[in-house]
Every structure is written in structure tokens, then in C-alpha cells.
Amino acid sequence: MSTAVALSSSLKHNLALGIRFPQNPSFYRRNGPKVSTFRTFTVAMAAINTTPLEICVKASVTTPNKLGDCPFCQRVLLTMEEKHLPYEMKLVDLSNKPEWFLQISPEGKVPLVKFDEKWVPDSDVIAQSLEEKYPDPPLVTPQEKALVGSKIFSTFIGFLKSKDPSGGTEQALLDELSSFNDYIKENVRPLSGLLNVLRFVYLLHNRFIVFSLKGPFINGEKISAADLSLAPKLYHLEIALGHYKKWSIPDTLPYTKSYMKTIFSMDSFMKTRASPEDVIAGWRPKVMG
């Protein structure tokens, strides 16, 4: 059994400074914007007093003792990161499941998190449990927005596995990505003032288009559960389709591409993502089968 103990990226940052920390730690990157909002150190102190949560996740098939390529595991890890919760990863070789794992997960699936001495499966259930047990900071997505982008993953899989160029699977994926692009476009509004304005510059048809955005996320300026569910799936989409289909999201969907770039650059995402090699290896049986 491989085990790794982790503190959220933002929490470790605060322990070093010992005062207070940013609500969105990614703003601290050297080349990023210089503006941020802060949460008081009391939240970090609450996390310090929390016993690390145990979570079973897929182990890498390319690198020993590294996190594997399960997007559902990353969703749970992202939720823990964004809530600044310490956690202990138990890396599970899903090609040779150990007996201790099958005893707590008869179906042999990950992720699995231990709450109150009980192992809980299913990323949907786990994310909901984390929200109920650790409500600060809140990550709830309003019900009317909760399903935004939810059909992208299934249409991606259909296109990836398809061997018929005229089967319509590519267009089905493009339709879902276009709907998501339109949603983000309609829900991103220009802001006045300097403190809350984020500027994204995107190169389209050899011209620079500048977007002034009120938060690039599904629920506006703050990341929420819907983003944490969708982002790992978009990461797999980008890598797997790029490798197996030599396909990428077209430049005609700039809001979708900007959304992906924003989330993929977050500290919490970079810490919990699988390597591209693992993503490619993970999808190989479905493509070649």
C-alpha cells in the first residue's frame, strides 16, 4: 500500500507566512495579476485542527508512488484542496487490487473517502459529504447551473472511441462545447473598476481580443462544485483527443479555451492532475479495444 500525506497548497502557503491567505491562491503566481482577496488565518487554523482525511485514489501506471489518471479522484482532491483540508492519499494499483482495498471497496472502484470510520464511494456522494461537513469555503453550485457542461464528457468518450469519421460523434462533442462556450460568454459580464477586473487576452485569427471578465467560472467570479467536476474531464479531453485523434478545441470557441486555461493554471489543479502520460495510458484500452 502506497500512502502520501498532503496539505492543500493554500494551507501550506499560510503556515509559512503565519498570518492570512488568499481565497484564490493562483493569483500569487509570479506573472499573474497582483490583486487578490483574503480570508483570515482562522480558516487555516481550523484546517490545522482537522485530522487528515483518508482517500483511496488510482495509482499511476507510469511512475511509482504517483497519482494516477482518474478524473473522479481529481474532482474529490480538488474539492479538498479548495476547502483547505489536509488529506492522506492511499494509492491503489487498479490492475492488481490489493486485498485490503477489496475489503473496503468490494466493487474495486475509486475514489473512496473515510468519513467517521466509514468508507464512502462515489465522487458525487463524497463531494456532497465534504460540503456538508466542511461548509467553509462554500462550493455549492446553484441548482440551475449545476448541469452546465455535464454532457461534454460522454460526447468526448463517444468521439474518442469512434472509428467512423462520418458517425457524427465529433459534431456531437462540438455541439456540447459550443453550448458551454455560449454559456460562459453570456454569464461573463464586463466590470468597472480595477480591483475586480481580470483581463484575458486571446489570439484569434491573428487578432488580439481582450475580455474583461467577472470571474471565468460556471457560477461567476468564484469556483464551485460544477467547475471541480468538469475541469478534470476537460483535461482528459484535451490530452486524449490531442494524442489519439490529433484533435483540439477550435479557436472559434474562445470562452471554452479561456475557461480551461484559467482552471488548468490553478495551484490546486496542478497539484492534483495526472501526468499526460498516465492520461494517454488510461484511455488506451478504450481506444484500441
Side-chain angles (χ1 to χ4, degrees), residues 204-265:
L204 180 63
H205 300 308
N206 298 318
R207 293 185 302 169
F208 282 102
I209 302 174
V210 180
F211 299 102
S212 296
L213 307 178
K214 183 180 179 181
F217 304 116
I218 289 174
N219 194 33
E221 62 182 2
K222 294 182 179 180
I223 198 164
S224 70
D227 301 295
L228 304 183
S229 176
L230 178 61
K233 298 167 184 175
L234 290 173
Y235 179 67
H236 279 239
L237 179 156
E238 181 177 69
I239 294 172
L241 289 181
H243 179 80
Y244 290 109
K245 296 277 193 179
K246 308 304 178 187
W247 189 93
S248 61
I249 294 176
D251 290 343
T252 52
L253 303 177
Y255 288 90
T256 297
K257 297 185 75 168
S258 178
Y259 173 89
M260 293 168 63
K261 182 177 180 180
T262 300
I263 291 191
F264 293 174
S265 65

Side-chain angles (χ1 to χ4, degrees), residues 14-278:
N14 294 292
L15 293 178
L17 293 180
I19 301 177
R20 59 180 187 169
F21 59 94
Q23 184 174 340
N24 186 349
S26 61
F27 287 177
Y28 273 116
R29 273 185 293 280
R30 181 174 302 174
N31 296 322
K34 305 301 182 182
V35 180
S36 177
T37 57
F38 288 85
R39 290 184 178 272
T40 63
F41 187 61
T42 54
V43 178
M45 289 300 293
I48 293 171
N49 294 328
T50 300
T51 301
L53 292 165
E54 295 180 66
I55 175 172
C56 296
V57 295
K58 182 180 180 180
S60 169
V61 298
T62 64
T63 309
N65 300 318
K66 292 292 185 180
L67 179 65
D69 64 293
C70 173
F72 305 101
C73 290
Q74 189 185 13
R75 173 195 180 182
V76 173
L77 292 172
L78 276 171
T79 303
M80 292 177 175
E81 285 284 330
E82 290 300 318
K83 285 186 172 294
H84 320 300
L85 296 170
Y87 53 87
E88 178 183 306
M89 290 192 298
K90 298 181 183 299
L91 304 175
V92 181
D93 180 356
L94 295 184
S95 65
N96 184 25
K97 299 167 186 174
E99 184 60 30
W100 67 265
F101 175 64
L102 291 175
Q103 288 178 0
I104 63 175
S105 178
E107 294 184 354
K109 296 181 178 180
V110 291
L112 206 66
V113 173
K114 194 174 186 180
F115 291 115
D116 302 322
E117 302 305 315
K118 179 182 178 181
W119 287 99
V120 177
D122 192 303
S123 62
D124 286 336
V125 176
I126 294 170
Q128 180 62 35
S129 297
L130 288 170
E131 190 62 40
E132 292 172 356
K133 291 176 178 292
Y134 308 99
D136 187 39
L139 295 174
V140 176
T141 306
Q143 186 174 2
E144 67 272 15
K145 300 179 181 180
L147 295 180
V148 171
S150 62
K151 295 181 180 179
I152 291 175
F153 193 55
S154 61
T155 53
F156 146 63
I157 295 174
F159 178 41
L160 181 66
K161 295 170 64 176
S162 174
K163 294 178 173 57
D164 181 5
S166 60
T169 55
E170 179 181 8
Q171 188 58 51
L173 174 60
L174 284 172
D175 289 345
E176 293 301 325
L177 290 171
S178 296
S179 295
F180 183 74
N181 186 82
D182 292 344
Y183 172 85
I184 295 296
K185 179 180 179 180
E186 292 299 319
N187 283 270
V188 167
R189 299 185 300 275
L191 287 176
S192 59
L194 296 177
L195 290 181
N196 295 319
V197 175
L198 300 178
R199 295 191 179 273
F200 291 90
V201 180
Y202 190 81
L203 184 61
L204 180 63
H205 300 308
N206 298 318
R207 293 185 302 169
F208 282 102
I209 302 174
V210 180
F211 299 102
S212 296
L213 307 178
K214 183 180 179 181
F217 304 116
I218 289 174
N219 194 33
E221 62 182 2
K222 294 182 179 180
I223 198 164
S224 70
D227 301 295
L228 304 183
S229 176
L230 178 61
K233 298 167 184 175
L234 290 173
Y235 179 67
H236 279 239
L237 179 156
E238 181 177 69
I239 294 172
L241 289 181
H243 179 80
Y244 290 109
K245 296 277 193 179
K246 308 304 178 187
W247 189 93
S248 61
I249 294 176
D251 290 343
T252 52
L253 303 177
Y255 288 90
T256 297
K257 297 185 75 168
S258 178
Y259 173 89
M260 293 168 63
K261 182 177 180 180
T262 300
I263 291 191
F264 293 174
S265 65
M266 291 171 50
D267 287 342
S268 58
F269 191 93
M270 291 190 291
K271 180 179 178 181
T272 59
R273 69 187 178 187
S275 70
E277 293 78 14
D278 268 304

